[in-house]
């Protein structure tokens, strides 16, 4: 039964994608597509199991495990919500079926990744997801979207190559692709550090860890809102899942990679928040916020590599993060589309504003939301990290401040009623958004009940409340001050400040320019200069060398064409015959 | 003679007889010619299927006659020859269907189909050849039968390409002949046998054997388009699309690659090659070819020319796998023999469809072609992704085995070559896919000729569709019994038998 559910989950989106190609305009199909991720949600509820599928790819293993289940549940729920939302959001889009096609393929890949238990099937689903998402990013065909798509594709292919190399080496070292074996055996391999470096870098591209984050802030604003929501909420987390699958977590400490993860994670978290605050597109702000939050996730990973004995705690902390960030970020992205519509009544506007603020503050760690649990979990995970202790003691609260500032920036940009809205507020959009916004709170109380989450993370002790609240208060005060000060500043100064902007994708922009310059030069050399040179060589051969050769042969043969040569040959022949007859 | 002896002969004859009859028929006896061609192709597929079944049950299929004292003509079906002959049979059937659609109403079809069948006869012959001499006979026959196909159009361009092809192929053939004669004088008749026959040779001869190896590789390398002997291949793409398709996927280029595989494994033996120290140079040449071909493909604006350079690069994966040696790399090389064929034939079919239906021949004319010809371009897309080595296509399976094989043989640099090649493949294929699907079509196509109610005539549409589906199936179901991968593993078991 569970197996049938598993196969349905994997095949259904692919089947629907095939149907979209043939009968694009069927309303029944549109409704089915909205439900395509439903089997995934069901599968997340069944007890863990694994099946062997030797005929699929390179001896595949598929199944649900304790960790994969959490990913599967969140991923399924977000795709389900996004499917509903997309139906309403793109109702008037003439190229809706194109979006649906890529949406379904990406979904199939993303859901597949969560149940893949071996390297080859993981890579296959991962690639399907990554490549199909390209179609979502460039959906509207604006120049900026196409550029974002190009950058995304370049980085994705680069990531794929790193993963390919990493997996090849991992297979060679361990003799298996089944993750449970692979990570254990990899811990003992002499090439461990290189292999893990390749794999971490490959997954880091998807996770958006600096300096591999460039595609994220470009792709999120480019994609239609429902696609950005799953991109940020579900897809970038497959990078994390990949890391969890291959790292020998809870077995050994890996000082090289733990330091790298901690350093890059903190850097990503702070820097991305700062760059994000300069953005003007709310989706770009959210994209940088995702980068920043994934920085914190990377810090957790780093912590697990410092003290393996703490892995059970850190592992469940990461699961809290996956749920929390997935839900909150998707709600915020959905909110961008909702806040931009015309509000029917003032009450509706207030309600929607309240929902947006709630999701935003959850990201900042407001007590009573899942964000609070995540933040406490982070604190528990990073306790006693030896040499990192002092730095984390003041950097982690700082990240809370920057996160709050960043979500304030988002709220400032989308605040309903600040701009003239356009489009109708349709229930198809409000219901998924409202559901996720409520889950931000409801999830917290669900976490309180169940045993997997450390109860300490969900108690609302007064001391914890204060620790969680003060960074938010500081940030709100700061944001208020900035707004007040900005009002009093002379206009030319604000204009000057406004001119100072960091483009979406920051470092990747000059990098891409360089690549294109190199490509043009490559073109000049290989397509213009080399053929020219080879033509010249050919010419030289045909004009000089070959005629001279022919002349020389000609002269040689002509010198033989006389009676003397013929006579000599005859004599030679006679002598030879004489010699033969004598022996 | 028993059935076991007849079968290899029948497989060869199933294209030889239709080919010979076609020459006798009139130009206008289209129906009979088509029927003969298709019947021959279907019979060949069936016979090969029987043989495949038999070989998997350890049946021996062999036939042999003495030509002169000490020189035998021998056909023999072993696992390796069956891999190649199945590929040839299946793709010949598809290409025949395609060619019938492609050449509809064009002149000289009798000549075309006649030589086409002979060309396949030569290919099956060399696939089944049981010794080096028989191989050589069919190899030369292949050169001569493909020449009329390359120059089929009769334009100055194609005549020039044909001349170049003959020049390269005949020179290569001559070198090969010399090498074979030399080898025979040293060790006697050279029979193909798993694990090779030379390992017992007197060490005093090692020097000569190295030189002979180089000559053999050079001779086969001409057809396999090893750099710097690849010059004829990009020129030969002026041939009609079905010819290019077969040329690049099975017949000529593959014959060269197959020859090299035979030399390394069944004449010299993989381990003996390593002992002689000839594998590393071969691997280096193959790696150079892979990178060079891809680099040149980057900047070709003629679609078929780009595909031709891509062939130069991709076929060398086979040689690379062969040269690295070690069971896993061998598996990768041998399985790529099939995978590259299926993928590349799809690309050429698709390119032919674009040229025939829309007059699109240049890369920059492909904009929006996906909307006009969705099935063709979907096939093209799948095959191109396969070339890059994207999972779950067949190309990924090849690349994976080459990669882990390189690791097994401690040749880590090869993984770098594979990755570099994949990136280059992505750089020259992805823009085509982008142009086809995401760019808007032009107001008018260069030379549009609607054919029937589909996007093009069914005979042109279904062959690429089938091979594209195969590209996916060979990857997704790589672990299925009788998949090329499983078959390649079987071959490797024999080659590395103690």
């Amino acid at each position: 039964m569970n197996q049938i559910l598993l196969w349905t989950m994997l095949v259904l989106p692919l089947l629907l994608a095939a149907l979209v190609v043939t009968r694009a305009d069927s309303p029944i199909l549109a409704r089915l597509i909205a439900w395509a991720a439903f089997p995934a949600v069901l599968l997340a509820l069944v007890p863990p199991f694994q099946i062997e599928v030797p005929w699929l790819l390179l001896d595949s293993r598929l199944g649900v495990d304790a960790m994969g289940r959490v990913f599967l549940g969140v991923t399924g729920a977000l795709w389900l919500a996004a499917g509903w939302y997309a139906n309403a959001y793109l109702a008037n889009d003439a190229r809706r079926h194109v979006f649906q096609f890529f949406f379904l393929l990406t979904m199939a890949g993303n859901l597949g990744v969560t149940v893949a238990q071996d390297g080859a099937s993981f890579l296959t689903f991962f690639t399907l997801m990554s490549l199909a998402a390209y179609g979502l990013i460039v959906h509207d065909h604006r120049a900026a979207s196409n550029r974002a798509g190009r950058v995304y594709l370049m980085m994705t292919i680069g990531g794929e190559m790193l993963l390919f190399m990493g997996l090849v080496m991992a297979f060679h070292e361990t003799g298996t692709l089944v993750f449970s074996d692979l990570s254990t055996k990899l811990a003992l391999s002499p090439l461990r550090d290189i292999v893990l470096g390749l794999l971490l870098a490959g997954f880091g591209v998807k996770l958006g860890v600096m300096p591999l984050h460039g595609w994220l802030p470009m792709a999120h604003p480019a994609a239609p809102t429902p696609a950005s929501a799953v991109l940020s909420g579900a897809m970038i987390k497959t990078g994390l899942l990949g890391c969890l699958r291959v790292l020998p977590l809870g077995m050994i400490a890996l000082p090289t990679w733990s330091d790298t993860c901690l350093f890059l994670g903190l850097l990503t978290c702070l820097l991305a928040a700062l760059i994000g605050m300069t953005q003007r597109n709310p989706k770009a702000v959210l994209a940088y916020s995702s980068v920043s939050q994934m920085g914190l996730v990377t810090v957790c990973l780093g912590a697990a590599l410092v003290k393996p004995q703490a892995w059970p705690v850190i592992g469940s902390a990461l699961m809290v993060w996956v749920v929390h960030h997935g839900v909150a970020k998707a709600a915020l992205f959905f909110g961008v589309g909702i806040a931009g519509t015309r509000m029917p009544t003032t009450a509706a506007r207030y309600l929607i504003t309240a929902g947006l603020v709630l999701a935003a503050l959850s990201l900042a760690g407001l007590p009573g939301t899942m964000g609070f649990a995540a933040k406490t979990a982070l604190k528990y995970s990073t306790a006693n990290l030896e040499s990192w202790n002092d730095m984390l003691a003041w950097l982690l609260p700082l990240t809370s401040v920057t996160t709050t500032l960043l979500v304030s920036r988002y709220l400032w940009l989308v605040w309903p009623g600040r701009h003239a809205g356009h489009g109708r507020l349709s229930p198809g959009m409000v219901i998924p958004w409202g559901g996720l916004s409520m889950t931000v709170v409801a999830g917290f109380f669900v976490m309180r009940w169940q045993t997997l989450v450390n109860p300490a993370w969900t108690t609302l002790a007064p001391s914890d409340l204060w620790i969680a609240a003060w960074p938010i208060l500081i940030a709100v005060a700061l944001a208020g001050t900035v707004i007040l000060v900005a009002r009093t500043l002379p206009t030319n100064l604000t204009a000057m400040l406004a001119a100072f902007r960091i483009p979406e994708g920051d470092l990747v922009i000059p990098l891409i320019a360089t690549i294109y310059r190199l490509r043009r030069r490559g073109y000049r050399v290989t397509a213009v200069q080399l053929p020219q040179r080879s033509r010249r060589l050919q010419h030289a051969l045909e004009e000089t060398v070959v005629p001279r050769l022919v002349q020389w042969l000609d002269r040689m043969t002509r010198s033989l064409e006389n009676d003397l040569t013929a006579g000599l040959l005859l004599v030679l022949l006679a002598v030879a015959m004489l010699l033969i007859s004598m022996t | 003679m028993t059935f076991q002896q007849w079968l290899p002969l029948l497989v060869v004859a199933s294209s030889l007889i239709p080919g010979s009859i076609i020459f006798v028929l009139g130009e206008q006896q289209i129906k009979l010619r088509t029927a003969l061609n298709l019947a021959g192709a279907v019979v060949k597929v069936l016979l090969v299927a029987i043989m495949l079944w038999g070989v998997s049950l350890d049946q021996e299929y062999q036939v042999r006659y003495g030509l002169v004292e000490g020189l035998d003509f021998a056909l023999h079906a072993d696992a390796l020859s069956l891999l190649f002959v199945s590929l040839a049979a299946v793709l010949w059937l598809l290409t025949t269907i395609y060619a019938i659609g492609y050449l509809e109403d064009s002149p000289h079809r009798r000549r075309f189909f006649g030589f086409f069948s002979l060309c396949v006869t030569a290919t099956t012959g060399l696939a089944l050849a049981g010794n080096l001499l028989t191989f050589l006979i069919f190899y030369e026959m292949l050169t001569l039968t493909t020449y009329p196909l390359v120059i089929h159009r009769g334009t100055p361009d194609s005549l020039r390409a044909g001349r170049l092809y003959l020049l390269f192929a005949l020179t290569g053939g001559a070198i090969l002949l010399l090498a074979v004669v030399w080898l025979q004088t040293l060790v006697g008749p050279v029979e193909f046998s798993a694990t090779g026959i030379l390992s017992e040779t007197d060490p005093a001869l090692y020097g000569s054997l190295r030189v002979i190896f180089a000559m053999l590789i050079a001779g086969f390398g001409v057809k396999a388009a090893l750099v710097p002997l690849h010059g004829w291949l990009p020129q030969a793409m002026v041939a009609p699309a079905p010819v290019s398709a077969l040329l690049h996927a099975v017949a000529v280029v593959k014959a060269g690659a197959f020859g090299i595989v035979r030399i390394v494994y069944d004449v010299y033996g993989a381990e003996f090659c390593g002992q002689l120290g000839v594998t590393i140079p071969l691997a280096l040449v193959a790696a150079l070819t892979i990178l060079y071909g891809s680099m040149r493909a980057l900047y070709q604006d003629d679609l078929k020319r780009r595909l031709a350079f891509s062939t130069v690069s991709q076929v060398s994966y086979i040689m690379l796998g062969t040269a690295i040696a070690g069971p896993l790399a061998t598996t990768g090389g041998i399985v790529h023999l099939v995978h590259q064929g299926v993928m590349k034939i799809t690309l050429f079919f698709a390119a032919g469809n674009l040229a025939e239906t829309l007059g699109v021949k240049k890369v920059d004319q492909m904009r929006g072609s996906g909307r006009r010809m969705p099935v063709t371009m979907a096939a093209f897309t799948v095959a191109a992704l396969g070339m890059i080595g994207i999972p779950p296509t067949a190309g990924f399976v090849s690349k994976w085995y080459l990669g882990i094989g390189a690791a097994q043989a401690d040749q880590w640099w090869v993984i770098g070559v594979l990755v570099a090649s994949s990136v280059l493949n992505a750089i020259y294929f992805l823009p085509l896919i982008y142009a086809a699907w995401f760019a808007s079509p032009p107001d008018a196509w260069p030379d549009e000729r609607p054919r029937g109610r589909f996007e093009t005539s069914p005979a042109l549409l279904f062959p690429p569709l089938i091979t594209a589906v195969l590209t996916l199936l060979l990857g997704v179901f790589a672990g299925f019994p009788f998949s090329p991968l499983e078959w390649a593993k079987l071959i490797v078991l024999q080659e590395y038998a103690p």
Side-chain angles (χ1 to χ4, degrees):
Chain A
M1 186 59 213
N2 295 345
Q3 284 195 34
I4 298 173
L5 195 59
L6 176 73
W7 288 114
T8 317
M9 178 192 90
L10 293 177
V11 176
L12 183 67
L14 296 175
L15 206 69
L16 289 173
L19 284 177
V20 168
V21 174
T22 46
R23 23 182 63 243
D25 295 323
S26 154
I28 303 170
L29 189 60
R31 205 154 306 159
L32 268 177
I33 289 168
W35 284 94
F38 189 62
V41 180
L42 288 182
L43 191 67
L45 301 175
V46 308
F49 70 98
Q50 199 185 67
I51 52 172
E52 295 184 12
V53 199
W55 46 265
L56 187 72
L57 297 163
L58 309 167
D59 192 4
S60 292
R61 298 284 189 288
L62 300 174
V64 184
D65 62 326
M67 226 160 44
R69 241 171 127 178
V70 178
F71 280 89
L72 182 62
V74 176
T75 308
L78 292 189
W79 278 98
L80 197 60
W84 288 344
Y85 190 92
N87 256 0
Y89 186 82
L90 294 162
N92 299 318
D93 190 327
R95 294 178 53 253
R96 192 172 57 237
H97 55 281
V98 178
F99 179 86
Q100 286 168 337
F101 176 73
F102 288 115
F103 185 83
L104 288 163
L105 288 187
T106 316
M107 180 196 296
N110 195 353
L111 294 176
V113 165
T114 60
V115 294
Q117 303 289 352
D118 73 289
S121 59
F122 190 95
L123 193 61
T124 303
F125 288 119
F126 194 77
T127 312
L128 174 64
M129 174 188 80
S130 302
L131 290 186
Y134 173 81
L136 300 177
I137 292 167
V138 300
H139 179 72
D140 62 9
H141 281 310
R142 283 178 302 130
S145 307
N146 287 343
R147 206 166 54 129
R150 258 198 316 273
V151 171
Y152 171 74
L153 211 53
M154 281 184 198
M155 298 195 68
T156 300
I157 298 274
E160 292 282 328
M161 294 303 137
L162 290 171
L163 290 179
F164 175 76
M165 283 194 277
L167 281 176
V168 162
M169 292 174 80
F171 180 79
H172 177 250
E173 289 299 302
T174 63
T176 178
L177 275 176
V178 180
F179 281 133
S180 49
D181 277 5
L182 184 135
S183 55
T184 326
K185 289 185 183 157
L186 203 55
L188 307 169
S189 148
L191 294 177
R192 182 183 66 205
D193 281 346
I194 303 172
V195 176
L196 286 179
L198 288 167
L199 292 172
L200 284 179
F203 289 126
V205 173
K206 184 69 43 186
L207 197 57
V209 179
M210 280 184 180
L212 305 169
H213 68 294
W215 65 272
L216 240 142
M218 299 182 79
H220 283 66
T225 299
S228 326
V230 278
L231 208 61
S232 232
M235 280 156 67
I236 60 173
K237 307 236 170 28
T238 57
L240 173 65
L241 181 61
C243 293
L244 298 180
R245 292 282 192 225
V246 296
L247 283 172
L249 292 162
M251 277 179 276
I252 48 163
L254 297 169
T256 329
W257 294 118
S258 66
D259 283 356
T260 314
C261 285
L262 283 166
F263 173 73
L264 286 181
L266 286 171
L267 183 81
T268 305
C269 181
L270 293 172
L271 217 53
L274 290 178
I275 300 174
M277 279 180 243
T278 68
Q279 298 300 316
R280 291 176 171 190
N281 184 333
K283 283 161 94 182
V285 174
L286 289 181
Y288 274 108
S289 154
S290 288
V291 174
S292 161
Q293 299 282 301
M294 290 306 112
L296 289 179
V297 166
T298 314
V299 169
C300 283
L301 269 183
L305 293 176
V306 177
K307 35 172 198 176
Q309 69 280 5
W311 168 241
V313 177
I314 299 174
S316 84
L318 278 171
M319 294 307 110
V320 173
W321 268 96
V322 167
V323 179
H324 148 66
H325 184 258
V327 172
K329 196 45 72 67
L332 289 173
F333 268 110
F334 285 163
V336 176
I338 286 177
T341 54
R342 251 194 319 276
M343 303 291 158
T345 57
T346 326
R349 202 178 78 210
Y350 283 142
L351 214 58
I352 281 165
T353 313
L356 287 172
V357 172
L358 187 67
L361 285 181
S362 165
L363 219 51
L366 183 74
T369 62
M370 286 199 286
F372 175 76
K375 220 162 91 175
T376 328
L378 176 69
K379 212 176 67 189
Y380 271 76
S381 306
T382 50
N384 304 323
L385 280 187
E386 292 141 23
S387 54
W388 287 87
N389 265 349
D390 298 342
M391 209 197 267
L392 286 169
W394 62 274
L395 275 183
L396 284 184
L398 187 61
T399 62
S400 297
V401 176
T402 52
T403 304
T404 314
L405 283 173
L406 194 57
V407 292
S408 322
R409 173 71 181 158
Y410 161 81
L411 285 174
W412 172 258
L413 287 169
V414 299
W415 199 265
R418 269 187 70 220
H419 310 284
H422 50 84
R424 209 171 57 83
L425 192 63
S426 73
M429 284 159 71
V430 175
I431 292 169
W433 170 78
L436 289 180
S437 298
M438 283 191 279
T439 314
V440 166
V441 179
F444 178 77
F445 291 98
V446 173
M447 282 177 183
R448 280 183 80 144
W449 287 338
Q450 46 108 16
T451 49
L452 293 174
V453 178
N454 191 332
W457 302 344
T458 48
T459 46
L460 293 166
S463 59
D464 289 340
L465 286 184
W466 173 241
I467 290 171
W470 70 258
I472 299 182
L473 294 178
I474 288 182
V476 171
L478 259 174
T481 321
V482 167
I483 292 171
L484 285 179
V485 170
R487 290 243 167 100
T488 59
L489 282 178
T491 43
N492 51 359
L493 191 61
T494 33
M496 253 173 66
L497 282 176
F500 171 73
R501 282 179 57 212
I502 299 174
E504 294 161 5
D506 51 273
L507 281 179
V508 86
I509 306 291
L511 194 70
I512 294 296
T514 317
I515 289 177
Y516 277 111
R517 207 171 310 135
L518 284 176
R519 219 180 86 166
R520 274 199 298 279
R521 186 165 303 165
Y523 180 77
R524 254 206 317 279
V525 173
T526 51
V528 184
Q529 288 171 359
L530 274 183
Q532 241 171 29
R533 218 163 284 169
S534 83
R535 262 201 300 278
R536 230 175 284 153
L537 187 71
Q538 202 182 347
H539 204 63
L541 274 176
E542 281 173 4
E543 297 292 307
T544 54
V545 179
V546 173
R548 223 173 271 170
L549 206 69
V550 169
Q551 247 173 30
W552 182 73
L553 274 175
D554 212 37
R555 224 177 308 144
M556 283 282 289
T557 43
R558 222 165 270 194
S559 66
L560 294 174
E561 286 172 3
N562 53 38
D563 299 344
L564 185 64
T565 324
L568 273 176
L569 270 178
L570 270 178
V571 171
L572 258 174
L573 190 66
V575 171
M577 283 168 81
L578 203 72
L579 282 173
I580 289 167
S581 61
M582 274 164 63
T583 53
Chain B
M1 273 166 76
T2 60
F3 182 67
Q4 258 89 346
Q5 288 172 318
W6 271 109
L7 199 55
L9 280 180
L10 286 176
V11 170
V12 175
S14 59
S15 49
L16 182 64
I17 293 170
S20 317
I21 298 176
I22 285 168
F23 281 114
V24 186
L25 294 178
E27 177 72 36
Q28 288 315 314
Q29 285 173 290
I30 297 168
K31 278 200 181 128
L32 186 56
R33 186 173 60 221
T34 308
L36 261 176
N37 243 325
L38 287 177
V42 171
V43 166
K44 192 188 283 281
V45 171
L46 290 177
L47 290 175
V48 169
I50 295 172
M51 210 149 77
L52 204 60
W53 185 250
V55 167
S56 73
L57 298 174
D58 279 334
Q59 291 271 8
E60 277 279 320
Y61 296 100
Q62 193 170 22
V63 61
R64 165 183 297 277
Y65 328 54
L67 292 175
V68 289
E69 187 60 38
L71 291 180
D72 280 356
F73 174 89
L75 293 179
H76 173 145
D78 58 6
L80 180 58
S81 51
L82 267 180
L83 186 84
F84 192 36
V85 95
S86 329
L87 176 76
V90 171
L91 295 190
W92 183 46
L93 176 60
L94 292 172
T95 316
T96 305
I97 297 170
Y98 187 84
I100 289 167
Y102 188 89
L103 292 171
E104 212 166 76
D105 305 325
S106 74
H108 307 305
R109 269 178 292 167
R110 182 180 58 168
R111 183 181 78 196
F112 181 89
F113 283 106
F115 280 114
F116 201 65
S117 304
L118 292 186
C119 162
V120 172
T121 310
T123 310
T124 18
L126 65 86
L128 292 170
N131 58 27
L132 199 51
L133 181 81
T134 318
F135 194 96
L136 196 64
I137 294 170
F138 283 112
Y139 191 79
E140 290 298 334
M141 176 179 166
L142 185 64
T143 306
L144 299 178
T145 50
T146 32
Y147 174 74
L149 297 175
V150 172
I151 60 158
H152 181 72
R153 292 241 165 87
T155 57
D157 259 1
S158 54
L159 286 174
R160 206 158 48 94
R163 208 163 50 233
L164 198 65
Y165 169 58
L166 267 193
L167 194 67
F168 270 96
L170 289 179
T171 318
I175 295 172
L176 206 56
L177 182 66
L178 214 61
V180 172
V181 170
W182 189 359
L183 191 59
Q184 301 243 16
T185 54
L186 288 184
V187 299
V190 183
E191 298 290 323
F192 292 142
S193 116
T195 67
I197 57 157
L198 296 180
S199 48
E200 306 293 312
T201 326
D202 180 9
L205 293 176
Y206 281 9
S208 320
L209 286 180
R210 285 194 192 102
V211 178
I212 293 172
F213 186 83
M215 288 170 71
L216 288 168
I217 296 297
F220 287 125
V222 167
K223 279 214 173 73
L226 278 177
V227 168
L229 306 170
H230 66 287
W232 61 274
L233 187 63
Q235 304 281 331
M237 61 84 207
V238 295
V243 175
S244 305
L246 206 63
L247 214 78
H248 284 254
V250 210
V252 177
V253 181
K254 275 304 163 52
F258 187 67
I260 291 177
V261 172
R262 277 286 196 212
I263 293 297
V264 171
Y265 293 116
D266 293 348
V267 175
Y268 278 68
E271 274 160 38
F272 185 59
C273 273
Q275 220 174 310
L276 282 182
V278 289
T279 43
I280 299 297
L282 180 58
L284 286 174
V285 171
L288 176 76
T289 308
I290 289 173
L291 294 179
Y292 176 84
S294 289
M295 296 287 275
R296 290 302 307 274
L298 280 184
Y299 299 110
Q300 302 302 327
D301 39 0
D302 187 296
L303 177 58
K304 277 178 81 182
R305 234 177 117 76
R306 186 175 284 202
L307 295 182
F309 273 111
S310 148
T311 305
V312 172
S313 161
Q314 288 279 338
V315 167
S316 272
Y317 276 41
I318 303 167
M319 269 75 86
L320 189 64
T322 310
I324 299 167
L328 291 173
T330 307
T331 312
I334 287 176
V335 82
H336 200 56
L337 200 76
V338 176
H339 289 170
Q340 188 269 351
V342 175
M343 298 188 292
K344 188 41 75 67
I345 210 164
T346 315
L347 292 174
F348 269 104
F349 282 157
N353 284 1
L354 286 179
E356 274 308 287
T357 320
L358 305 177
V360 168
K361 287 175 180 147
K362 298 279 179 199
V363 165
D364 50 11
Q365 295 167 331
M366 285 175 74
R367 297 172 61 83
S369 53
R371 297 197 204 158
R372 172 65 180 75
M373 303 185 74
V375 177
T376 301
M377 291 319 293
F380 184 92
T381 305
V382 169
L385 292 179
M387 286 291 174
I388 304 170
I390 301 280
T393 58
F396 171 71
V397 177
S398 313
K399 207 174 77 175
W400 174 259
Y401 271 89
L402 288 173
I404 55 177
Q408 188 186 42
D410 263 337
Q411 305 284 337
W412 297 98
W413 58 277
V414 169
I415 299 175
V417 172
L418 291 174
V419 165
S421 168
S422 295
V423 170
L424 288 169
N425 269 277
I427 297 177
Y428 65 78
F429 275 126
L430 290 182
L432 304 188
I433 298 175
Y434 174 82
W437 296 106
F438 295 99
S440 32
D443 297 330
W445 296 100
D447 176 20
E448 187 167 1
R449 274 171 291 175
R451 288 164 168 251
R453 63 194 181 92
F454 297 114
E455 58 188 59
T456 182
S457 69
L460 296 184
L461 193 58
F462 284 104
L465 184 61
I466 293 169
T467 49
V469 171
L470 265 180
T471 305
L472 276 177
L473 292 184
L474 293 184
V476 173
F477 300 113
F480 221 69
F482 281 94
S483 75
L485 180 64
E486 293 298 310
W487 198 260
K489 285 180 181 167
L490 176 76
I491 296 169
V492 168
L493 267 185
Q494 296 172 352
E495 297 293 346
Y496 289 87

